[in-house]
Amino acid sequence: MAIDTDFNDDYVTKQMAFAVPPPPAATVVFGPALDQARAFARMLATRGVERGLIGPREVPRLWDRHLLNCAVVADLIDSRYRTLADIGSGAGLPGLVLAMMRPELSVTLLEPMERRCRFLSECVAELGLPNASVLRGRAEETVLRADVATARAVAPLDRLAEMAVRVVRPGGMVLAIKGRTAADELRKARPVLRRIGARNAQVVRAGEGKVDPATTVVRFFAR
């Protein structure tokens, strides 16, 4: 996911990167991956801002709005799943975070823009994530058959659903991280979901009791 830049002040941004500590919930949610999450937060707040992947105004809320919001999605992925494709990975949200949280998962960060792919590749190398790889391309054009597809702020659900079913195996799970519009998007997407044979589409919440607010996700399964 990429977040538009609001303004650019390198000095202020870099100071903020080290001044914003993780909230107490981060210790519980990230557990042994907390050091990697801290390092990723610094990358987002410095290089991520400099390269226009996130806006400086997002830096003070990196943990609550972005990192924790993505991390709790791991609760929806049980041990039967072994491969994950993150569609339009952008700044690595949620793909890189899920790779930290679930080292047994093989995570493909699918991203069409070269500059974002470079950033993602740097993060994978520096965070030491052997289970993550970067693939430049679009969901509509690539050949992937992952167990799980994830996406955050990529497209409205009706469009995203058609992308996602191209990168998951039959019966694979799609997790679309959404906000307050989730139920409305799901209602509007019902005709598309029926056409593509999606099953059990519903709004679920991840991280209840761990983060506030919990993360809102539209979950469905491919034909």
Side-chain angles (χ1 to χ4, degrees):
M1 172 195 142
I3 307 166
D4 290 336
T5 304
D6 298 309
F7 63 88
N8 198 353
D9 186 329
D10 290 343
Y11 176 78
V12 172
T13 299
K14 288 177 181 178
Q15 294 304 306
M16 290 166 67
F18 295 95
V20 180
T27 301
V28 175
V29 171
F30 280 99
L34 182 60
D35 286 344
Q36 285 176 312
R38 287 176 184 268
F40 184 41
R42 289 194 293 270
M43 292 174 188
L44 288 171
T46 52
R47 277 175 275 174
V49 172
E50 290 162 5
R51 300 182 192 182
L53 275 74
I54 70 166
R57 294 187 190 277
E58 297 300 317
V59 173
R61 50 193 182 184
L62 270 177
W63 286 99
D64 291 329
R65 185 171 180 178
H66 300 293
L67 297 173
L68 288 168
N69 178 263
C70 292
V72 293
V73 174
D75 293 350
L76 302 177
I77 306 170
D78 65 40
S79 59
R80 87 185 93 162
Y81 300 112
R82 309 304 297 173
T83 58
L84 182 149
D86 186 37
I87 300 170
S89 199
L93 301 165
L96 280 171
V97 175
L98 293 174
M100 296 175 209
M101 296 291 295
R102 299 291 295 276
E104 78 281 6
L105 271 178
S106 176
V107 176
T108 300
L109 307 170
L110 182 61
E111 169 56 49
M113 294 186 64
E114 182 179 359
R115 66 183 177 85
R116 293 176 182 171
C117 286
R118 286 198 299 268
F119 175 79
L120 291 170
S121 295
E122 291 172 12
C123 291
V124 168
E126 294 177 33
L127 294 171
L129 294 172
N131 62 321
S133 61
V134 181
L135 176 61
R136 186 180 179 191
R138 299 180 183 278
E140 305 92 320
E141 301 165 355
T142 191
V143 179
L144 283 174
R145 286 295 179 267
D147 295 330
V148 181
T150 56
R152 185 176 190 252
V154 172
L157 185 62
D158 54 354
R159 287 171 45 207
L160 177 63
E162 295 195 276
M163 296 181 204
V165 294
R166 294 174 179 269
V167 302
V168 291
R169 61 169 174 78
M173 180 170 65
V174 177
L175 300 173
I177 301 175
K178 295 291 182 178
R180 290 172 294 180
T181 64
D184 188 50
E185 285 196 51
L186 178 55
R187 179 182 58 79
K188 292 178 180 177
R190 288 287 183 190
V192 173
L193 293 168
R194 284 194 294 269
R195 176 167 55 78
I196 63 177
R199 300 180 294 106
N200 301 331
Q202 60 182 310
V203 176
V204 298
R205 286 178 173 77
E208 287 188 312
K210 294 182 180 179
V211 296
D212 186 20
T215 301
T216 304
V217 179
V218 176
R219 179 178 63 192
F220 66 88
F221 296 85
R223 187 197 303 270

